[in-house]
Amino acid sequence: MYVAVKGGEQAIAAAHRLLAHERRGDRSVPALTLAQIAEQLTLAVDRVMAEGSLYDRDLAALAVKQARGDLIEAIFLLRAYRTTLPRFGFSRPVDTAAMLVRRRISATFKDLPGGQCLGPTFDYTHRLLDPLLAGDPDLPDPAERPADETAMPRVTDLLNDEGLIEPDPAETDAPVGDLTREPLSFPADRDLRLQALARGDEGFLLALGYSTQRGYGRTHPFVGEIRLGDVEVEIDVPELGFSVAIGRITVTECQMVTQFKGSAKAPPAFTRGYGLVFGHQERKAMAMSLVDRALRAGDLGEDRVAPAQDEEFVLSHSDNVQSTGFVEHLKLPHYVDFQAELDLIRRMRAEIAARQEAAE
Amino acid sequence: MTSLSGLDADTDARRAVLGVLARATRDDLAAAWTAWPDKPDVFDVRAPETGLVMVRGRMGGGGRPFNLGETTVTRCTVRLGDGTVGTGHVLGRDRVQARLVAVFDALWQRPRTRPAVEAAVIAPVRARLAAEDDSARSETAATRVDFFTMVRGDD
């Protein structure tokens, strides 16, 4: 129950003024520029874009600054902003096989066309704090080596040639579900599930993915492939009568190869989970692919026994803007609700006391 | 992509030009426009407007489409004094950039000004993009693992 409460106006204005002051911090320290955030806190910006479900580096950098580095608050800001813009349409599906690859690794095949390219990774670093970074050390330019012309086919396509792995789900005439247009209802098809996971909270999905590894819906996963790079966004323009490329975005893709599935009719084949995320978001893409696979339990005829396999549980709680809205609303004034509870508990206690008195 | 599009050669070429223009920076375009001799009149058919495009991916990379998330897009349509209509779509929210893309698209469609657009905008931007891609590929290639096998000899 919500009741208008007056009297907070001045306090709120002063609180926001204080917030702006605290956000700025020590004035003798230069203010952060958006370019600094976009260029040097790239992965924070990427996370805000992915979970804010809006690819716009400059806006995400602004959101990070405005939110004082609170990424969920920044994601909230980006989600709020997107509601102010009209929707022009949708793109053609991006082609990750044609990606300008910055990183591409496979944990299942050592030698594969195009090779294993580590790219800009934290992997194999020693996780020791580097005191030099307290300053602005001179850096050598990146190493370069002539790239060979070998294409980098998706690993899953290679396995597909032998029929050892389930193929990509074939296209249908069904419209593509969009949870920004229609509220989620259950059961949700895989298109809606992937959309929800792509914008879902990294921490939540990470924990769920981890839970499947620990035995809560085990799928015996291998990273078939992770690739990071730039893909072209192409849209159909009705007035032109053809499609045009309007620029590139960075995405991370993870192909998780999981345990076999066969039937009386079909020989066993590996199954798959898929992750695709805006920006450089490897942990998120991996977690997404684990959870995507877990959520396919029903489709694959597996018993749904674990939280990660329960689509209503997963999809209803994966959105951190929704979660934070409901959790954080608890701190708003609930004076009247609580008054009602107080009345109730006093009445209950009085009744018990009266009964005890009567019994004596 | 272009040869498979089933479009005539001129349309194919325009698609490619629009693809290059969309990746030109605002500075690239503004510099070329500032230096452009005898600028034509430009009228807004549809003034620059920012909105959202839902980017789609495919399940498993090659399967059924799904909605990945939105991106900001700015679009604009202009008409030159002689009636040529140009159109611009760019990622992001830069209205000036979208309008300049539309202007150069229109100028490119006129046989009279096409060579100048090619020379002043398309060729240099295309060359820069190709160089950027090359250097990204070389940087990635330098991080490629060259496996070698250790032979454990017993003698």
Side-chain angles (χ1 to χ4, degrees):
Chain A
M1 177 170 166
Y2 297 88
V3 174
V5 179
K6 289 199 171 188
E9 242 174 83
Q10 278 184 334
I12 290 169
H16 291 170
R17 201 164 140 182
L18 183 58
L19 168 68
H21 173 77
E22 293 285 321
R23 175 192 295 124
R24 178 60 184 83
D26 182 346
R27 307 284 167 108
S28 68
V29 177
L32 272 177
T33 66
L34 296 191
Q36 285 171 335
I37 296 171
E39 289 297 313
Q40 295 172 46
L41 298 180
T42 20
L43 302 189
V45 168
D46 283 353
R47 182 170 176 192
V48 171
M49 293 196 304
E51 294 171 34
S53 202
L54 181 65
Y55 198 100
D56 188 314
R57 299 205 75 81
D58 300 339
L59 285 177
L62 175 62
V64 169
K65 181 175 181 177
Q66 186 175 332
R68 306 175 65 191
D70 177 340
L71 298 189
I72 291 184
E73 180 71 19
I75 288 159
F76 199 161
L77 289 170
L78 217 54
R79 290 272 186 94
Y81 177 84
R82 73 158 281 283
T83 64
T84 65
L85 293 178
R87 169 81 71 84
F88 290 164
F90 49 86
S91 79
R92 294 200 165 184
V94 295
D95 182 2
T96 53
M99 177 185 281
L100 176 70
V101 171
R102 309 271 177 168
R103 167 169 166 78
R104 188 274 203 120
I105 53 161
S106 169
T108 51
F109 297 101
K110 183 164 67 71
D111 300 304
L112 70 175
Q116 310 258 359
C117 295
L118 302 181
T121 182
F122 291 125
D123 295 352
Y124 314 110
T125 63
H126 293 103
R127 266 74 183 209
L128 296 173
L129 280 173
D130 179 1
L132 288 178
L133 281 176
D136 183 13
D138 276 335
L139 294 176
D141 287 332
E144 295 199 20
R145 174 161 83 164
D148 60 23
E149 295 300 307
T150 323
M152 286 198 187
R154 285 186 293 253
V155 166
T156 41
D157 293 342
L158 298 174
L159 273 174
N160 243 335
D161 284 348
E162 283 187 74
L164 299 178
I165 192 166
E166 60 171 342
D168 289 328
E171 259 190 88
T172 63
D173 291 335
V176 180
D178 186 352
L179 58 82
T180 68
R181 292 299 162 100
E182 299 276 335
L184 264 181
S185 62
F186 302 100
D189 281 340
R190 193 174 175 203
D191 51 355
L192 284 169
R193 301 199 304 252
L194 286 169
Q195 183 182 11
L197 297 177
R199 63 193 339 234
D201 182 77
E202 177 177 321
F204 181 72
L205 298 183
L206 178 66
L208 283 173
Y210 179 43
S211 74
T212 68
Q213 291 180 281
R214 291 194 63 256
Y216 294 86
R218 202 182 286 281
T219 56
H220 205 65
F222 292 93
V223 169
E225 181 177 6
I226 289 171
R227 56 171 66 200
L228 156 73
D230 298 346
V231 292
E232 205 105 50
V233 177
E234 196 175 322
I235 58 170
D236 285 303
V237 181
E239 67 198 68
L240 294 177
F242 54 85
S243 69
V244 291
I246 60 172
R248 283 182 181 169
I249 61 171
T250 302
V251 295
T252 310
E253 180 184 57
C254 177
Q255 304 273 2
M256 203 61 86
V257 176
T258 50
Q259 71 190 178
F260 327 117
K261 167 79 188 161
S263 67
K265 282 182 221 142
F270 287 109
T271 58
R272 298 162 61 182
Y274 187 64
L276 184 67
V277 189
F278 280 160
H280 186 176
Q281 298 277 288
E282 192 159 301
R283 186 186 304 115
K284 165 73 180 280
M286 293 179 74
M288 175 175 173
S289 65
L290 287 172
V291 178
D292 170 50
R293 173 59 185 82
L295 290 175
R296 297 183 58 218
D299 303 345
L300 293 168
E302 297 162 350
D303 291 333
R304 294 194 207 206
V305 291
Q309 297 169 321
D310 181 337
E311 65 180 44
E312 188 161 350
F313 176 77
V314 173
L315 302 186
S316 302
H317 302 108
S318 62
D319 190 294
N320 54 28
V321 175
Q322 271 174 21
S323 305
T324 206
F326 205 47
V327 168
E328 292 203 48
H329 105 284
L330 291 173
K331 68 194 172 187
L332 300 179
H334 282 69
Y335 307 136
V336 177
D337 306 55
F338 194 66
Q339 191 64 49
E341 302 273 303
L342 274 178
D343 283 351
L344 182 62
I345 200 167
R346 284 188 182 121
R347 226 173 25 238
M348 287 158 62
R349 289 167 66 99
E351 278 168 19
I352 291 168
R355 235 180 288 144
Q356 278 172 349
E357 219 168 283
E360 279 164 15
Chain B
M1 192 88 217
T2 44
S3 57
L4 298 172
S5 60
L7 303 164
D8 60 82
D10 214 44
T11 308
D12 260 352
R14 186 170 168 213
R15 276 186 80 217
V17 161
L18 282 168
V20 173
L21 287 173
R23 295 191 53 213
T25 64
R26 175 189 181 153
D27 289 348
D28 290 333
L29 299 167
W33 180 239
T34 306
W36 196 263
D38 63 74
K39 293 184 181 58
D41 293 331
V42 178
F43 306 97
D44 283 348
V45 175
R46 184 167 62 190
E49 178 192 18
T50 298
L52 300 169
V53 164
M54 176 58 87
V55 178
R56 289 186 169 167
R58 288 188 183 279
M59 298 173 195
R64 259 173 63 206
F66 68 95
N67 289 315
L68 174 62
E70 287 163 316
T71 174
T72 48
V73 171
T74 303
R75 66 184 178 190
C76 178
T77 307
V78 299
R79 182 167 46 79
L80 304 186
D82 67 358
T84 316
V85 173
T87 221
H89 286 81
V90 295
L91 286 182
R93 289 163 295 119
D94 194 328
R95 286 150 200 257
V96 174
Q97 186 193 3
R99 190 161 188 275
L100 285 169
V101 169
V103 169
F104 282 112
D105 173 46
L107 288 170
W108 183 87
Q109 290 174 69
R110 302 195 306 188
R112 203 154 45 81
T113 42
R114 179 177 302 186
V117 176
E118 289 279 357
V121 188
I122 305 302
V125 171
R126 192 176 261 151
R128 197 195 61 228
L129 295 175
E132 284 170 6
D133 282 6
D134 276 352
S135 99
R137 282 195 194 95
S138 307
E139 287 167 15
T140 305
T143 69
R144 179 169 169 168
V145 182
D146 296 316
F147 290 103
F148 58 90
T149 310
M150 307 270 279
V151 181
R152 257 201 321 201
D154 290 325
D155 48 10

